[in-house]
Amino acid sequence: MQPHASELEEAIIGACLIEQEALPLVADKLRPEMFYDDHHQLIFAALIAMYQANKKIDILTVKEELTRRGVLEKIGGPYTIVQLSSRVASSAHIEYHAQIVHQKYLAREAVVGFNKLLTCAMDETIDIDDTLIDAHNLLDRLEGESGHHDHIRCMDTLMTDTLKEAELRIAKSVNGVTGIPTGLTELDQTTGGLQDSDLIVIAARPSVGKTAFALHLARSAAMAGNAVAVYSLEMQGERLADRWLAAASNINPYRWRNGIPTLQEMENAHTAASELSGLPIYVDDSTSVSMDHIRSSARLLKSRNQCDAIIIDYLQLCDMTTKQANRNREQEVAQATRKAKLLAKELHIPVVLLSQLNRESENRPGGRPELAHLRESGAIEQDADVVMLLYRPAMQRVVTDRESGYPTEGLGVVIVAKQRNGETGNVYFGHNPSMTKIYDYVPPLEYLEKHAK
């Protein structure tokens, strides 16, 4: 019996039959001959042909395709298709299943190839040099199939790819912003926007405004035409929507929250809701979400062209339970952060990860945070491409910001504490008392008059 996983083959085909989004996730990873069962090979060949022809895939259309190919009875008739479609509930783990099926295929190819080489080596009529050449060819083919060499590039290829990327960056640059705009002019100038493949960590103490700032980024990105997936582990989706409504209209957050808005505010809310409903923002407010769930969900959205950026609110609430024993909290946080970075690279999109700061930041002069105050793991600092620390000096009863000299009422500071490909420094933004509206900071007239030359 050669290595195989018939149940996983059935699960893959079943997922492709019940969900349109499943086949794009495995179409470039599997070929019909990689399936062990002959029936599965015939069905998957039909599925791939339909996918490449942009045909709709479901139980009925696949039955018609197999009939057209004259193989419907060979695979066991229509009953087999219905039976396969009932094997799974969704395509949630289809990529992992495909990886195992692919490995089983490689193992079978190795068994067949090495057995053939063993026979040739034992046969004295065959030149040993020919056998060694066959052995090298077999190893090259297996290594090529395994994908180990996919990411190895010579300098010529690397330089060509780098110039292509630079040309794309120039083509999409708008006033020097090459990434997804943040909605804050000064922050865009500092970072160039949210860059593809970057892990951006936004950290602050509780109630400073991490979620409000993240929602501002999501709305700004969506208004610029970018699809954003928001994974909210802390707040219900409706509470996020309340904040977006308050940011997009002139409703009073206190009256809205307590159910006593004026008629004019209700009118404004309906108008704002109508405008917001057209934005490409997708919210997942599941109470228990792991990085693996986020990856699976984001890949599905990406296959539908519905994911240009991801926001996770927030890291310490992620489900980090693993089957590995003797893992402490720091190791779990490090693993979650690493998965977030790998997700950004895999999907080639910015991933914004919110994180808590520890209490030590409050003991600093003015409560001003530093990079070392990231909570629970140094891996956050290591894996992040950009780290932004949010600071509102007015919350520390500071009247004048020590570094800028600005009055602190309505002043927020984004401390860009780390930027792998750029400079660090402070970015200032303005906000209303409820922190529902965030905008470019303009010093008050009194300050401008006082500091005028």
Side-chain angles (χ1 to χ4, degrees):
M1 183 70 70
Q2 292 189 354
H4 68 285
S6 294
E7 290 183 356
L8 295 184
E9 292 181 4
E10 292 174 355
I12 290 168
I13 293 174
C16 293
L17 288 170
I18 64 172
E19 288 192 9
Q20 292 287 329
E21 297 82 6
L23 192 53
L25 298 177
V26 297
D28 60 341
K29 296 179 177 65
L30 296 177
R31 301 190 304 274
E33 65 268 23
M34 291 181 176
F35 288 77
Y36 179 76
D37 191 292
D38 293 341
H39 297 168
H40 298 161
Q41 290 184 12
L42 293 172
I43 297 171
F44 194 74
L47 288 169
I48 288 292
M50 295 175 70
Y51 171 69
Q52 291 173 345
N54 291 321
K55 293 181 180 179
K56 294 291 183 182
I57 294 175
D58 57 38
I59 296 173
L60 296 177
T61 57
V62 172
K63 171 183 167 293
E64 289 302 315
E65 178 66 18
L66 291 169
T67 302
R68 189 185 67 78
R69 290 169 168 250
V71 296
L72 182 62
E73 295 308 317
K74 283 185 182 178
I75 60 104
Y79 173 72
T80 300
I81 304 173
V82 175
Q83 192 178 35
L84 286 170
S85 67
S86 65
R87 293 290 188 190
V88 291
S90 73
S91 62
H93 305 291
I94 190 171
E95 289 177 287
Y96 183 58
H97 294 163
Q99 183 182 351
I100 295 174
V101 168
H102 185 251
Q103 289 172 350
K104 298 290 186 185
Y105 164 74
L106 288 177
R108 291 196 302 274
E109 290 293 289
V111 169
V112 172
F114 287 128
N115 274 326
K116 182 181 176 183
L117 288 172
L118 180 62
T119 303
C120 291
M122 295 291 289
D123 190 341
E124 293 186 0
T125 65
I126 298 175
D127 194 312
I128 190 63
D129 289 338
D130 293 335
T131 302
L132 290 174
I133 290 171
D134 289 342
H136 282 297
N137 290 339
L138 174 64
L139 290 174
D140 285 343
R141 185 166 64 84
L142 291 176
E143 287 179 355
E145 285 279 6
S146 69
H148 288 322
H149 297 313
D150 289 353
H151 302 290
I152 297 178
R153 291 176 287 176
C154 66
M155 282 299 288
D156 182 36
T157 303
L158 182 60
M159 289 298 106
T160 301
D161 292 344
T162 301
L163 289 174
K164 283 182 181 177
E165 185 184 84
E167 289 167 1
L168 288 173
R169 194 162 55 240
I170 293 167
K172 69 178 185 179
S173 175
V174 179
N175 297 323
V177 179
T178 57
I180 295 175
T182 64
L184 295 173
T185 305
E186 194 177 354
L187 186 58
D188 282 341
Q189 289 171 351
T190 302
T191 63
L194 306 179
Q195 301 293 327
D196 290 340
S197 301
D198 273 7
L199 174 62
I200 299 110
V201 172
I202 298 175
R205 290 293 294 152
S207 301
V208 171
K210 292 187 302 296
T211 300
F213 193 81
L215 295 183
H216 167 80
L217 293 180
R219 180 166 166 252
S220 299
M223 289 174 68
N226 301 283
V228 184
V230 178
Y231 295 90
S232 175
L233 285 68
E234 183 179 32
M235 298 178 68
Q236 188 180 359
E238 286 78 3
R239 301 294 74 77
L240 301 183
D242 283 339
R243 294 191 177 200
W244 274 317
L245 283 171
S249 65
N250 291 318
I251 61 176
N252 182 291
Y254 172 81
R255 287 200 295 268
W256 181 259
R257 186 173 59 249
N258 289 278
I260 51 173
T262 64
L263 289 176
Q264 183 60 50
E265 285 176 333
M266 279 303 297
E267 234 178 88
N268 292 343
H270 280 288
T271 302
S274 179
E275 294 172 356
L276 289 167
S277 62
L279 295 180
I281 298 177
Y282 305 90
V283 177
D284 184 339
D285 60 357
S286 304
T287 53
S288 179
V289 173
S290 65
M291 281 297 175
D292 292 330
H293 167 86
I294 292 173
R295 178 180 180 271
S296 177
S297 170
R299 279 188 63 90
L300 194 59
L301 288 171
K302 185 71 173 177
S303 71
R304 301 171 179 169
N305 295 318
Q306 295 174 339
C307 187
D308 298 316
I310 294 172
I311 294 175
I312 304 169
D313 182 15
Y314 58 90
L315 170 65
Q316 281 77 14
L317 288 181
C318 280
D319 181 1
M320 299 180 192
T321 54
T322 65
K323 295 180 181 178
Q324 295 174 277
N326 302 320
R327 290 182 69 85
N328 59 34
R329 177 67 177 179
E330 182 177 350
Q331 291 171 321
E332 290 174 344
V333 171
Q335 186 180 45
T337 309
R338 185 62 183 155
K339 286 183 177 181
K341 173 58 184 172
L342 292 175
L343 179 61
K345 289 185 67 177
E346 180 184 0
L347 299 186
H348 195 55
I349 59 174
V351 171
V352 178
L353 181 62
L354 274 57
S355 177
Q356 290 276 23
L357 292 174
N358 59 38
R359 286 193 179 92
E360 291 176 15
S361 62
E362 296 178 356
N363 299 326
R364 288 258 305 152
R368 193 178 189 88
E370 290 185 325
L371 201 57
H373 296 140
L374 284 167
R375 185 175 170 184
E376 291 184 311
S377 180
I380 304 172
E381 175 185 344
Q382 293 169 15
D383 289 330
D385 297 283
V386 179
V387 177
M388 303 181 190
L389 310 177
L390 298 187
Y391 173 56
R392 288 163 61 192
M395 294 181 69
Q396 303 295 326
R397 304 181 189 279
V398 176
V399 178
T400 303
D401 180 54
R402 182 167 52 88
E403 295 196 12
S404 66
Y406 293 146
T408 60
E409 186 179 352
L411 175 70
V413 187
V414 180
I415 304 169
V416 182
K418 177 186 178 181
Q419 187 172 193
R420 204 183 295 277
N421 299 307
E423 296 181 357
T424 58
N426 298 333
V427 171
Y428 300 93
F429 65 90
H431 63 84
N432 62 349
S434 61
M435 193 68 180
T436 51
K437 294 181 187 290
I438 294 174
Y439 38 82
D440 287 328
Y441 181 70
V442 178
L445 185 60
E446 295 83 1
Y447 173 88
L448 295 173
E449 290 176 346
K450 183 179 178 181
H451 292 83
K453 291 182 180 180

